[in-house]
Amino acid sequence: MSETPRSRETGGDTSTGLPQRRTGPAFAHTPHRSDGRSPQTPRGARQPDPGGRPGTIPPVPGRPAILLLLLSLLGLALTTWQVLVSGPLLAPDERLSRALVRTVPDAVTERLSDLGNAPVAVPVLLLAMAYSVRRSRAWAPALTAGLAMALVPAVIVPLKEWTARPGPLEPWAAGYFPSGHTATSAVAYIGAALLISPYARRPWPMTIALSLTAATATGLILRGWHWPLDVLASCFLCTALLAAVAHSVRRAAVRRTAGRSA
């Protein structure tokens, strides 16, 4: 009697016993190598990003962040150009200011505007810088935030002298564009929030920072100390400055994550 030929799949199997049942398609896709070594990029070896998601190191800046930076610089250039040439944006800007000025008691709007004073806002940033260095043992984020604050007067003062825009309630004066108080509050409060947010369990630092910055800008407009366009130009400027702070904070967070997983 002739021997029944064995199938190709089991022809090389010298073991005895019943054939083993396949475990299913899920195991068929498990990466493996014939020499027993692990795959080149196992999932467990990937470094997570600051949010805990699998990613690569270092992170590649996303297009939305770059686009936001470019748009902010373009907005600053556009508003400055409109003030210099008395462009069409000034007419609706002045009408809006006249409709809003002193619709709220001065005692309230003056207190809100004071949030943008350097003696009030800058110490908040200094405390956040010290806290960031203490927690992260990294100087780059704090120094970047300090540099951003130093650039506020370095950019604002020449723009004020160049544009020489009069104020809503003081047409005989000049140097109101852009708003220094708005820029100071934004860089101080939002910069501080960016520094301490990696160590906060909830997003309350940024919520408070945005509220303080918005309160400062609102007080300046309602009190008549700045045109709305002055405040808007400062927001464009601060977006560019704070983008550098946010980038430095992200890089420091990635380094900490890489150090813990090493």
Side-chain angles (χ1 to χ4, degrees):
M1 183 174 64
S2 62
E3 181 180 356
T4 303
R6 304 181 68 179
S7 62
R8 181 174 300 177
E9 291 79 9
T10 59
D13 187 7
T14 58
S15 62
T16 59
L18 295 175
Q20 298 297 320
R21 181 181 178 182
R22 288 181 177 268
T23 55
F27 288 88
H29 298 282
T30 303
H32 64 279
R33 295 173 62 105
S34 59
D35 56 3
R37 290 185 293 165
S38 61
Q40 294 181 357
T41 56
R43 184 177 299 274
R46 297 180 187 176
Q47 303 295 341
D49 64 7
R53 297 175 296 271
T56 57
I57 295 179
V60 180
R63 291 183 179 179
I66 298 176
L67 179 61
L68 179 62
L69 177 62
L70 294 177
L71 288 177
S72 63
L73 294 176
L74 179 62
L76 177 61
L78 175 62
T79 51
T80 303
W81 170 64
Q82 286 292 289
V83 172
L84 287 172
V85 302
S86 298
L89 289 181
L90 265 61
D93 181 47
E94 294 173 359
R95 287 196 299 268
L96 178 61
S97 178
R98 295 190 187 98
L100 295 176
V101 167
R102 291 189 164 170
T103 55
V104 176
D106 291 350
V108 176
T109 56
E110 288 177 4
R111 299 290 82 77
L112 296 178
S113 301
D114 288 344
L115 294 172
N117 288 338
V120 177
V122 173
V124 176
L125 180 61
L126 293 176
L127 289 174
M129 291 167 60
Y131 180 80
S132 173
V133 172
R134 180 177 177 273
R135 289 294 304 268
S136 66
R137 306 298 181 183
W139 286 87
L143 292 178
T144 304
L147 178 61
M149 178 56 70
L151 286 175
V152 168
V155 176
I156 293 288
V157 172
L159 284 176
K160 285 180 176 291
E161 296 179 354
W162 185 28
T163 56
R165 191 184 191 190
L169 300 181
E170 297 179 348
W172 59 86
Y176 281 80
F177 177 93
S179 169
H181 279 67
T182 302
T184 300
S185 64
V187 173
Y189 299 135
I190 299 177
L194 288 172
L195 291 176
I196 66 177
S197 288
Y199 315 104
R201 296 182 178 180
R202 296 182 181 181
W204 60 266
M206 187 58 66
T207 301
I208 295 176
L210 293 174
S211 300
L212 291 174
T213 304
T216 304
T218 301
L220 292 169
I221 295 174
L222 296 180
R223 181 60 180 82
W225 280 335
H226 277 289
W227 305 97
L229 206 60
D230 303 344
V231 171
L232 181 61
S234 291
C235 292
F236 286 138
L237 170 63
C238 294
T239 299
L241 295 176
L242 291 169
V245 179
H247 178 68
S248 181
V249 170
R250 285 195 299 268
R251 287 179 62 88
V254 169
R255 292 193 185 100
R256 288 196 306 272
T257 303
R260 288 194 298 265
S261 61

